[in-house]
Amino acid sequence: MILKMLGGLRLVACVMVLALALLSLEGAPALAQSGEGATVTLPDPLSPEAVREMVARMSDDQVRSMLLDRLDAVASEQENEPPQALLFTEKIAGAWRAFYTPIVGAVVRLPTLLVKQVEAVSNFGAEFGTSGVLSLVGLTIAALLAGYAAEKLFMRISANFLPSLEPPKGDSLKSTLGFLLRKFWREIVGLVVFYAVVRSIGQILLTPEQVSVVGPFVRLLVFLPRVAAAMSRFVLAPDQPSLRLLSVSDDWARYFNRHIVGLVVLGGAAFFVMGFNVRFGVPLEETRVGFWFNLSIHLYIIYIIWHGREGMSDMMLGSDPEL
């Protein structure tokens, strides 16, 4: 009798568990649908307490959906808003800040400029040592002499195999320009030979660390100024007045030729010093040496123009006696 009662209870328990399982499977989607699809109504009045109560009653999906909707609305409003035009005074103030900020920064760092420059040179000496620096200088001079000898040898060989460079007999522009172009072409090829020999010998004699210092020096302070000198001689011909393309006197031709080369040397020195400082542990922002080099170049250009204004007037007026 007891066994039959236990069997009946077991059957009833199984039926109840099965029924609960079926009810849970049917109710879950319904709850999910009601949680996802239910619309959220804002409380009235909309106070902080009411908002907290509303959020507490909402599901995580509803809160996330409301937040995304609000963010999309704010983003669309910002995209549709036209950009505000700056006032004239704001433009003037911005331009003034852009003008004086670099100057003030460079002046503030001026006391540390010399100290940091000495630090860069000290780091250079510490890395290579006294013997390494002397070896670097000696090998660089040897490479430069070898390149110069190769350039002169090329010029002599080219003079034997190419037509001779004799000044034109006529005074026509065509003959003068042709002679200057032939001379300029040979000078440029000779400079290329010079640079190629110096570079090749430097890579053989010097270590990669030494080349990282000597390479920019030769390129910026030797090769480029010599190219600028060749171009200046092509236009100004300071030693050959009859071949001069510009109408200036000998003194002004030598003046502009000298200062054009000097300007290129100053620009090359600026790039070399800035690269040297960075190479040996002195960042540019700590010294602002580039600002002072830039200022020096502009002042040098002003000096050239002001002191050479008479020669520049001669260039513009030409040789016409009626002008």
Side-chain angles (χ1 to χ4, degrees):
M1 184 67 180
I2 295 174
L3 293 175
K4 290 182 180 181
M5 292 178 62
L6 290 175
L9 291 173
R10 188 178 300 168
L11 180 61
V12 173
C14 292
V15 172
M16 292 179 64
V17 170
L18 183 61
L20 289 174
L22 292 174
L23 288 174
S24 63
L25 290 175
E26 292 178 358
L31 290 174
Q33 292 177 0
S34 63
E36 295 177 357
T39 59
V40 179
T41 57
L42 298 178
D44 189 17
L46 190 63
S47 61
E49 293 79 5
V51 170
R52 283 194 292 269
E53 293 178 0
M54 179 190 69
V55 173
R57 291 193 303 268
M58 294 169 60
S59 63
D60 294 341
D61 294 337
Q62 289 176 325
V63 173
R64 189 181 300 108
S65 177
M66 178 178 289
L67 180 60
L68 292 175
D69 292 340
R70 181 55 186 163
L71 291 176
D72 292 340
V74 172
S76 62
E77 290 177 0
Q78 292 179 352
E79 291 179 355
N80 295 329
E81 289 181 358
Q84 296 181 354
L86 294 177
L87 299 177
F88 179 74
T89 55
E90 294 176 344
K91 294 180 179 179
I92 296 297
W96 175 247
R97 282 194 300 270
F99 171 76
Y100 77 80
T101 299
I103 300 176
V104 172
V107 172
V108 169
R109 292 174 176 83
L110 186 59
T112 64
L113 175 60
L114 182 60
V115 176
K116 290 294 183 180
Q117 199 61 52
V118 171
E119 179 183 343
V121 176
S122 301
N123 294 338
F124 166 70
E127 179 174 338
F128 291 101
T130 304
S131 60
V133 173
L134 294 177
S135 173
L136 176 66
V137 174
L139 293 176
T140 301
I141 294 175
L144 290 173
L145 291 176
Y148 185 74
E151 177 187 357
K152 290 301 180 183
L153 180 61
F154 167 79
M155 298 298 289
R156 180 170 297 182
I157 294 174
S158 64
N160 294 331
F161 289 94
L162 296 177
S164 60
L165 286 175
E166 296 181 357
K169 297 179 180 180
D171 295 334
S172 65
L173 178 62
K174 181 179 179 181
S175 59
T176 301
L177 190 59
F179 170 78
L180 291 175
L181 284 173
R182 291 192 301 271
K183 182 181 177 182
F184 176 71
W185 175 82
R186 293 188 186 183
E187 288 185 0
I188 292 298
V189 176
L191 288 175
V192 171
V193 172
F194 163 80
Y195 182 73
V197 172
V198 172
R199 188 173 184 272
S200 301
I201 294 179
Q203 290 180 341
I204 294 173
L205 300 179
L206 302 174
T207 63
E209 291 77 14
Q210 292 174 329
V211 171
S212 66
V213 179
V214 176
F217 172 80
V218 172
R219 183 173 60 255
L220 297 172
L221 294 175
V222 178
F223 179 67
L224 288 182
R226 294 196 64 194
V227 173
M231 297 176 67
S232 178
R233 286 193 298 269
F234 171 75
V235 177
L236 295 171
D239 299 326
Q240 294 175 302
S242 61
L243 301 176
R244 194 168 298 152
L245 297 178
L246 298 177
S247 179
V248 291
S249 64
D250 294 347
D251 293 336
W252 286 121
R254 296 189 187 98
Y255 171 87
F256 286 113
N257 177 70
R258 181 171 63 253
H259 287 295
I260 287 173
V261 177
L263 188 63
V264 175
V265 170
L266 181 58
F271 283 102
F272 173 74
V273 170
M274 289 188 290
F276 181 87
N277 289 353
V278 173
R279 167 68 174 79
F280 293 101
V282 179
L284 297 178
E285 59 271 11
E286 292 186 3
T287 61
R288 296 300 303 276
V289 67
F291 170 84
W292 297 111
F293 270 116
N294 187 36
L295 180 63
S296 302
I297 291 172
H298 283 82
L299 293 177
Y300 192 19
I301 293 174
I302 293 173
Y303 170 83
I304 295 172
I305 295 174
W306 177 255
H307 286 271
R309 57 188 184 277
E310 182 180 347
M312 298 184 70
S313 298
D314 294 342
M315 291 183 193
M316 291 184 288
L317 292 176
S319 59
D320 192 345
E322 297 182 358
L323 296 176

